[in-house]
């Protein structure tokens, strides 16, 4: 039983019907990539998983998104514990205004996980998981804002991993990065899928081909096609998908 | 074609001239305060309270007014800071952008920052009558706090609005509460808050009309919250009205002291602001 399931999910901003009858299961411990033209609702769907979409005004939803069998949109859902299950990478990395160390330690600290000596170990562990440790081990207490963009994105990854999520959500995590940093993030994702379910949005078809195990193609708020990467990207069923993967529409 | 070139030249000249004029008026103002005030400025001015009465006395200094002004402005800034942080955090992180309360709050801040200080003085005075408080350091503090509250709110709101959406998103995504988000935002805007404190302090220490009836005036040192307290702007006002020439010169010396205080505040604001640019996370 996959731990992320979307069930007849609809989302409205005021009167605009943005997400329409989304019905899809996300396979565990794989990289699922959401593709589709600009404005089709990829970010909105991604932010629905951890209900970050609640930060927007006038949002209405119906249908369900099940994480471990629990509907995140149910009335008595505990937002903090839902969000804690998912790490999030934004398009533009945003280090918190504190040191590298404190960025990674932030999650464990607010959740009261560990203190003192253990925290050092945790910080090191997650910086290693995010493939950043070697570059920052000598300056853990320097402000995080001084890192390069690529390093900042991996720091955000480490920060997200430090709250021990099961799922990693990523919204075009490499679109602000240079090719080398992009490659490092992609390599890290492939390493991390052994332990995490990864859902990433991308604009770049070549990136989808490089990392995706499973692909969801969205168009005007609907999921048009979803399935194993090889099938959707190489041999799609629907015409719109064909046009998109062949670059006719973008 | 030729006409337009001449027109442009004339306007360039005019603009350059106006820019020069504002700089010249600053120099002229400071120059005349120094010219008139420096001769009467001695050590006693800043280390002693007046003797022989502030109106006719030629001895002593205005230490009571310097301390009174600092206490009053400090207290007022403290009160308005404690009030403005929750206000600004509420309109930025809790109420939704288009909500009535949000609009009403921002509107009130805008209107209140345009209200002349004498109106705050009258308002503070009438409240003190109702509460049965006489003119005192505390009464002045509360009135001046009302005067600078909109200034403070505006200055803090300006930086709070600049905090990008990614900050609350990143912090919430870790399973944090809104209170955690506020703590991180405050950390992000700390340099801006310091600037807001300095600006408000400058506004508070220089205002005469709001303290005229609410803080009163005295020759005594400001030792109690419930006693009247002297302030620099009022000590200038009363001394310059004196028929005695020496006392009038002491008014200029007091003006020099106040100008020096305000000037050093503006300079610190500039320094903090330039440091802030380097620190803010992009
Ligand atoms: N806060 C909002 N209020 C109203 N409409 C919104 C809001 N956010 C997004 N939308 C609309 O919802 C639709 C989907 O937006 P979304 O950001 O999810 O698209 P996207 O697929 O991520 O696009 P892109 O590839 O450009 O990032 C768009 O039409 C957008 O205009
Ligand atoms: Mg998007």
């Amino acid at each position: 039983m996959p731990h992320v399931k979307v069930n007849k999910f609809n989302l409205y901003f005021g009167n605009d019907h943005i997400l329409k009858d989304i019905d899809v299961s996300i396979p565990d411990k794989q990289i699922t990539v959401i593709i589709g033209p600009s404005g089709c609702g990829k970010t909105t769907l991604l932010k629905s998983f951890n209900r970050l979409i609640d930060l927007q005004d006038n949002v209405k939803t119906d249908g369900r998104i099940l994480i471990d069998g629990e509907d995140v949109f149910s009335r008595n859902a505990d937002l903090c514990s839902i969000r804690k299950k998912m790490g999030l990478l934004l398009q533009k990395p945003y280090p918190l205004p504190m040191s590298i160390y404190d960025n990674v330690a932030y999650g464990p600290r607010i959740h009261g996980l560990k203190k003192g000596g253990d925290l050092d170990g945790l910080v090191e562990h997650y910086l290693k998981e995010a493939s950043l440790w070697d570059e920052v081990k000598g300056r853990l207490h320097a402000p995080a804002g001084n890192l390069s963009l690529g390093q900042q994105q991996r720091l955000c990854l480490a920060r997200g991993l430090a709250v021990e999520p099961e799922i990693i959500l990523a919204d075009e995590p490499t679109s602000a990065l240079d090719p080398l940093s992009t490659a490092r993030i992609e390599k890290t994702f492939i390493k991390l899928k052994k332990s995490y379910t990864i859902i990433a949005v991308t604009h770049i078809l070549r990136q989808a081909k490089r990392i995706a195990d499973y692909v969801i193609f969205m168009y005007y708020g609907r999921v048009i096609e979803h399935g194993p990467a090889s099938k959707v990207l190489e041999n799609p069923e629907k015409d719109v998908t064909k046009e998109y993967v062949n670059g006719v529409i973008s | 074609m030729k006409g337009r070139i001449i027109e442009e030249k004339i306007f360039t000249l005019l603009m350059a001239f106006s820019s020069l004029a504002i700089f010249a008026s600053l120099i002229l103002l400071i120059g005349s305060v120094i010219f008139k005030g420096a001769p009467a400025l001695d050590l006693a001015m800043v280390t002693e309270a007046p003797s022989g009465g502030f109106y006719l006395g030629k001895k002593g200094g205005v230490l009571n007014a310097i301390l009174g002004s600092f206490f009053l402005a400090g207290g007022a800034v403290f009160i308005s800071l404690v009030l403005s942080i929750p206000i600004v955090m509420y309109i930025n992180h809790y109420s939704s952008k288009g909500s009535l309360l949000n609009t009403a709050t921002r509107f009130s801040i805008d209107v209140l920052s345009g209200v002349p200080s004498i109106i705050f003085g009258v308002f503070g005075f009438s409240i003190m009558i109702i509460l049965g408080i006489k003119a005192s350091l505390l009464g002045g503090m509360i009135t001046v706090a009302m005067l600078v509250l909109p200034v403070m709110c505006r200055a803090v709101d300006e930086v709070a609005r600049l905090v990008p959406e990614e900050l609350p998103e990143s912090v919430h995504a870790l399973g944090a509460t809104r209170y955690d988000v506020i703590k991180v935002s405050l950390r992000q805007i700390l340099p801006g808050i310091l600037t807001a404190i300095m600006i408000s302090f400058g506004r508070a220490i220089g205002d005469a009309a709001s303290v005229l009836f609410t803080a009163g005036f005295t020759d005594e040192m400001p030792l109690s919250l419930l006693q009247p307290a002297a302030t620099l702007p009022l000590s200038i006002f009363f001394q310059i009205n004196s028929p005695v020439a020496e006392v009038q010169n002491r008014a200029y010396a007091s003006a020099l002291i106040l100008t020096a205080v305000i000037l050093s505040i503006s300079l610190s604001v500039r320094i903090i602001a330039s440091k802030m640019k380097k620190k803010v996370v992009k």
Side-chain angles (χ1 to χ4, degrees), chain A residues 6-12 17-24 62-63 221-223:
Chain A
V6 187
N7 205 305
K8 297 211 178 58
F9 185 70
N10 284 279
L11 185 143
Y12 309 79
H17 195 173
I18 303 292
L19 295 180
K20 299 165 189 162
D21 285 323
I22 310 273
D23 230 334
V24 63
D62 58 59
R222 290 183 195 280
V223 170

Side-chain angles (χ1 to χ4, degrees), chain A residues 47 50 52 55-57 80 83-84 86 88 90 92-98 102 106 110-111 145 159-160 163, chain B residues 96-98 163-177 180-181 183-185 187-188 281-282:
Chain A
K47 287 185 177 167
N50 65 355
L52 217 54
L55 298 183
Q56 309 291 329
D57 293 333
C80 290
R83 288 175 178 156
K84 202 172 156 297
M86 290 171 256
L88 175 73
L90 298 167
K92 213 176 78 187
Y94 195 89
L96 303 179
M98 44 186 88
D102 288 337
Y106 183 79
I110 58 170
H111 294 295
R159 183 180 69 200
V163 297
Chain B
S96 53
K97 272 158 228 133
V163 170
E165 251 181 16
E166 281 93 350
L167 186 146
E169 286 185 351
S170 303
V171 181
H172 273 307
L174 298 169
T177 59
D180 294 318
V181 173
K183 283 195 281 189
V184 179
S185 303
R187 201 174 166 136
Q188 171 97 55
V281 187
K282 300 256 165 43

